[in-house]
Amino acid sequence: MKHVKKLVSLLLCLCMAGMMLTGCSSVGNGKRIIRIAHMQSETHPEHLGLLKFKEYVEENLGDKYEVQIYPNELLGGAQKAIELTQTGAIDFTVAGTANLETFADIYEVFSMPYLFTSEEAYHATMQDTEYMNNVYKSTDEAGFRVLTWYNAGSRSFYATKPINEPADLKGLKIRVQQSPASIAMANAFGAAASPMSFGEVYTAIQQGVIDGAENNELALTNNKHGEVAKYYAGNKHQMIPDMLIGNLKFLNGLSPEELEVFEEAARLSTEVELEEWDEQVQEATEIAKNDMGVTFMDVDVQVFKDAVADVQQNMLDSNPDIADLYEHIQEVNAQYEGKGDD
Ligand code: GCU
């Protein structure tokens, strides 16, 4: 399967490289093909959101554009897909902010453990498009811009061994995303951080190269990690959003009317994704528990928070670029304190 995926990916890349050289990315019917890459399966909320994006763009600009969606890391892992979007080989990619850190270090803020104090504060921050649009411009120099966000839930540790408290992470090799802040976060918990792309995690756990990983509940089912890692801690150390990024040259080349269509398509895709998310997490939890035999640990989240209490300040000290956004998020946190979950 892995080889097939690699071959498909290679063929697509060769094909796209050819198209870039000839300056042509249209099909026989003369339409400009819009390519979107993402890392998830075809049942994942993000894929469903992107289907809405496709539908809206084609409904409004269908005589000119055809949208093609490439799921399952078909065009490569997040880093590769971002690079393809940067050069314009493809037009859009969905990637988590951890993968954007190397392009704009303001995104490190989302890797801070326990940054948001409630789900409500997280959603309110991300849905404040006016504020976030300034953050989204931070990758302009790198040649791409964020159009919208997607909920990726909260991340917890899971492993082949039970994790009841941070001490249980000591010495465990835990896969993290390929970002400096994610590595620092896992190490701060006492784990041995092992960065690799999402698609490599299943085999790495299966072969004992790593002891576990950290992610939302959908990773257990959609990515089948629950087959090889039977203990999910539920310590909720991060809420890291995924972002729909678009090639800046492409976006700047659109007429104002066209841009409006793409922006509305992005907004609608988020609406669909958010609607799907909670339901799918609930379903995934049930399937992981009942069908895959995953144990959901009932941990004391506060103990995990205490274990990394210094990390936020250390990150603020080493990266002044995150200060404003961090302060903004603290204000939003304060607004929701005592109103929702903790
Ligand atoms: C989640 C998230 C992805 C991310 C992945 C990972 O699935 O939605 O954007 O790439 O975790 O841990 O790599």
Side-chain angles (χ1 to χ4, degrees):
M1 178 62 200
K2 212 172 159 190
H3 295 302
V4 175
K5 211 162 117 181
K6 277 213 168 122
L7 187 65
V8 172
S9 166
L10 182 69
L11 288 173
L12 281 166
C13 288
L14 283 173
C15 181
M16 284 183 303
M19 285 182 311
M20 279 183 80
L21 287 175
T22 57
C24 155
S25 68
S26 57
V27 274
N29 59 17
K31 289 186 193 177
R32 163 76 159 81
I33 301 291
I34 309 287
R35 293 183 177 80
I36 311 180
H38 71 86
M39 312 303 130
Q40 312 291 350
S41 74
E42 279 148 295
T43 57
H44 190 279
E46 285 177 0
H47 190 80
L48 304 181
L50 290 169
L51 287 176
K52 184 72 196 175
F53 181 95
K54 171 181 166 69
E55 182 189 304
Y56 189 80
V57 169
E58 291 180 354
E59 242 169 46
N60 288 279
L61 300 168
D63 51 337
K64 196 165 170 193
Y65 298 107
E66 182 181 322
V67 178
Q68 293 180 354
I69 306 169
Y70 296 88
N72 293 315
E73 295 194 359
L74 214 52
L75 301 184
Q79 287 297 334
K80 179 81 206 153
I82 293 170
E83 283 163 23
L84 292 174
T85 311
Q86 243 190 323
T87 59
I90 63 174
D91 307 287
F92 297 96
T93 288
V94 180
T97 52
N99 291 108
L100 302 183
E101 285 172 18
T102 44
F103 301 96
D105 61 3
I106 189 168
Y107 286 113
E108 275 187 14
V109 80
F110 296 106
S111 293
M112 279 184 172
Y114 301 107
L115 170 68
F116 295 103
T117 53
S118 68
E119 234 177 84
E120 287 78 5
Y122 169 48
H123 283 236
T125 302
M126 300 311 297
Q127 289 289 56
D128 183 350
T129 312
E130 213 180 303
Y131 187 93
M132 288 309 294
N133 273 341
N134 290 315
V135 177
Y136 293 166
K137 288 182 190 147
S138 59
T139 52
D140 279 8
E141 265 179 40
F144 62 87
R145 181 178 291 184
V146 173
L147 263 89
T148 190
W149 75 291
Y150 299 125
N151 186 13
S154 51
R155 300 177 76 94
S156 292
F157 292 105
Y158 51 97
T160 52
K161 300 175 185 129
I163 303 164
N164 288 301
E165 49 182 3
D168 294 330
L169 287 165
K170 278 248 155 4
L172 289 196
K173 279 201 202 102
I174 297 290
R175 177 270 173 172
V176 293
Q177 299 190 75
Q178 291 149 305
S179 98
S182 301
I183 296 170
M185 180 277 304
N187 288 339
F189 274 110
S194 178
M196 66 181 73
S197 81
F198 195 32
E200 292 174 289
V201 179
Y202 182 97
T203 314
I205 300 178
Q206 192 184 37
Q207 296 182 344
V209 175
I210 53 174
D211 301 295
E214 46 83 51
N215 216 315
N216 58 57
E217 296 84 345
L218 296 193
L220 299 173
T221 53
N222 278 36
N223 307 91
K224 301 191 168 54
H225 295 178
E227 284 179 4
V228 286
K230 299 295 184 191
Y231 299 94
Y232 191 83
N235 61 295
K236 297 179 186 247
H237 53 267
Q238 286 168 331
M239 295 183 203
I240 297 193
D242 279 345
M243 301 298 200
L244 175 67
I245 64 164
N247 174 269
L248 196 57
K249 228 176 177 175
F250 171 74
L251 294 172
N252 286 342
L254 295 170
S255 69
E257 296 75 28
E258 287 179 341
L259 182 61
E260 225 167 86
V261 170
F262 278 89
E263 284 173 348
E264 179 60 6
R267 195 192 63 74
L268 289 170
S269 71
T270 297
E271 206 174 279
V272 169
E273 201 268 349
L274 292 181
E275 274 165 23
E276 283 287 329
W277 185 267
D278 289 341
E279 206 175 300
Q280 285 214 19
V281 165
Q282 244 178 22
E283 263 172 33
T285 307
E286 290 307 310
I287 293 170
K289 254 190 222 166
N290 302 331
D291 303 341
M292 302 175 106
V294 175
T295 303
F296 284 73
M297 324 295 298
D298 189 16
V299 302
D300 182 349
V301 173
Q302 190 58 46
V303 178
F304 281 81
K305 276 189 192 169
D306 294 345
V308 289
D310 299 341
V311 177
Q312 292 194 2
Q313 193 53 52
N314 292 345
M315 287 175 71
L316 282 165
D317 291 345
S318 64
N319 179 5
D321 290 348
I322 58 179
D324 287 351
L325 179 54
Y326 177 81
E327 283 310 321
H328 171 73
I329 292 170
Q330 295 314 312
E331 282 163 24
V332 183
N333 278 340
Q335 281 167 31
Y336 286 88
E337 228 129 79
K339 282 194 190 167
D341 60 344
D342 191 18

